Amino acid sequence: MSNSIENMLRNKLAKSSLHVFDNFSDDTDLIICIGGDGTLLRLVQEFGFPKTPIVGVNTGHLGFFQEILPEKIDDFIFLYNQDRYSIQGLNGVSCYIKTSDGTARHIALNEITVKGLSTHPVHLNISINNSFIERFSGDGLCVASPAGSTAYNYALGGSIVDPRLNLLQVTPIAPMQNVAYRSFTSSILIPSNDRLSVIPCSDDDKTLSIIYDGMMSEYENITELSIGLSRKKINLIRFDDYQFWEKVKSKFL
Ligand code: NAP
Ligand code: MN
């Protein structure tokens, strides 16, 4: 289906004297992403959080990021040509990974999820801005941006956050709560400039999966993870009638 939508879009853009290029460069004015939210997440990774405005045509399933329905392509071209749109800047979540072998970094638009590799729970020392908070025991942690609050975060019982609030939401995944282990059971909200530090409690916890927007990398010998709101953001095109809570209502209720 996406192929025929792509062809239709190309024809309509050409007729309206907008030039379509197959390759992305720094002077590209607009990126059009055809697919679902997952397609947009992969585009953002592949293009390294481009500053160029992005508009999504939803052919996928949910399409929370995707602004245009295929049958509304004419309206999109009309409004775009008249500059009748606004830009929604969405910051990502960055994760610096320190291991005894070196460092790595991932940036996600929705969330960074930290989990163990096995079926055993992980034990992680959690600090916020170098203040020790707790020893977390459970399946893992999901650290979501406001944009990601409606994705995995929401399925974990986290809160939906209006993206005009710039904060980070740390949601526990199956936290253990008994006389042996004490972990927070609800989400923690932290301000945009603060960082969460995660330190494995024992050697068994030093091998972790770091999942960024659903893409997974495994790291061994982790000494510390430092997770914060990224300065990098994407710029999504929204049209005049865009209202965050209307979108939530139409996709969730
Ligand atoms: P997927 O398996 O197709 O994604 C799961 C669903 O999440 C899809 O319906 C997707 O929408 C939707 N989604 C993605 N980002 C969203 C957002 N910001 N707000 C609301 N819904 C959103 O895989 P995918 O499409 O590659 O998406 C990866 C994302 O899946 C991860 O970033 C994570 O948030 C989410 N995830 C959710 C669960 C869960 O809910 N239990 C578990 C693992 C991962 P589309 O149908 O339009 O693609
Ligand atoms: Mn998907």
Side-chain angles (χ1 to χ4, degrees), residues 52-216:
T52 309
I54 306 172
V55 71
V57 179
N58 187 19
T59 61
H61 302 273
L62 188 69
F64 207 77
F65 291 123
Q66 305 295 81
E67 181 73 353
I68 307 161
L69 289 173
E71 56 269 28
K72 298 275 186 186
I73 285 175
D74 287 323
D75 296 352
F76 148 63
I77 294 173
F78 177 76
L79 293 171
Y80 180 76
N81 275 329
Q82 295 203 345
D83 290 333
R84 279 165 59 188
Y85 57 84
S86 54
I87 297 283
Q88 183 183 40
L90 298 174
N91 288 84
V93 183
S94 70
C95 177
Y96 293 91
I97 302 149
K98 291 179 209 154
T99 75
S100 46
D101 317 311
T103 58
R105 187 174 78 143
H106 293 291
I107 305 178
L109 182 60
N110 274 345
E111 77 285 291
I112 297 281
T113 304
V114 179
K115 283 184 180 165
L117 299 190
S118 72
T119 51
H120 292 285
V122 285
H123 305 281
L124 305 167
N125 282 324
I126 309 292
S127 305
I128 295 172
N129 284 353
N130 300 323
S131 293
F132 177 69
I133 303 295
E134 70 160 7
R135 177 189 154 114
F136 170 85
S137 295
D139 283 3
L141 295 167
C142 169
V143 187
S145 67
S149 67
T150 44
Y152 190 26
N153 169 74
Y154 184 60
L156 293 168
S159 296
I160 295 179
V161 178
D162 186 319
R164 287 171 298 182
L165 294 171
N166 223 8
L167 52 80
L168 216 54
Q169 184 166 183
V170 185
T171 300
I173 308 172
M176 293 166 78
Q177 190 64 263
N178 52 41
V179 291
Y181 301 108
R182 288 256 165 248
S183 306
F184 62 90
T185 53
S186 67
S187 300
I188 292 178
L189 303 180
I190 62 177
S192 58
N193 288 329
D194 288 5
R195 292 195 79 82
L196 181 82
S197 155
V198 176
I199 297 180
C201 292
S202 75
D203 283 352
D204 289 346
D205 305 309
K206 287 186 173 164
T207 302
L208 296 169
S209 300
I210 310 295
I211 307 155
Y212 46 103
D213 291 344
M215 289 152 264
M216 188 176 83

Side-chain angles (χ1 to χ4, degrees), residues 9-21 29-30 32 76-78 80-81:
L9 185 62
R10 281 178 183 275
N11 287 333
K12 287 178 187 284
L13 289 168
K15 278 194 194 126
S16 78
S17 69
L18 289 164
H19 300 286
V20 182
F21 299 92
D29 289 322
L30 175 69
I32 304 178
F76 148 63
I77 294 173
F78 177 76
Y80 180 76
N81 275 329

Side-chain angles (χ1 to χ4, degrees), residues 36-39 42 61:
D37 290 327
T39 317
R42 287 180 281 281
H61 302 273

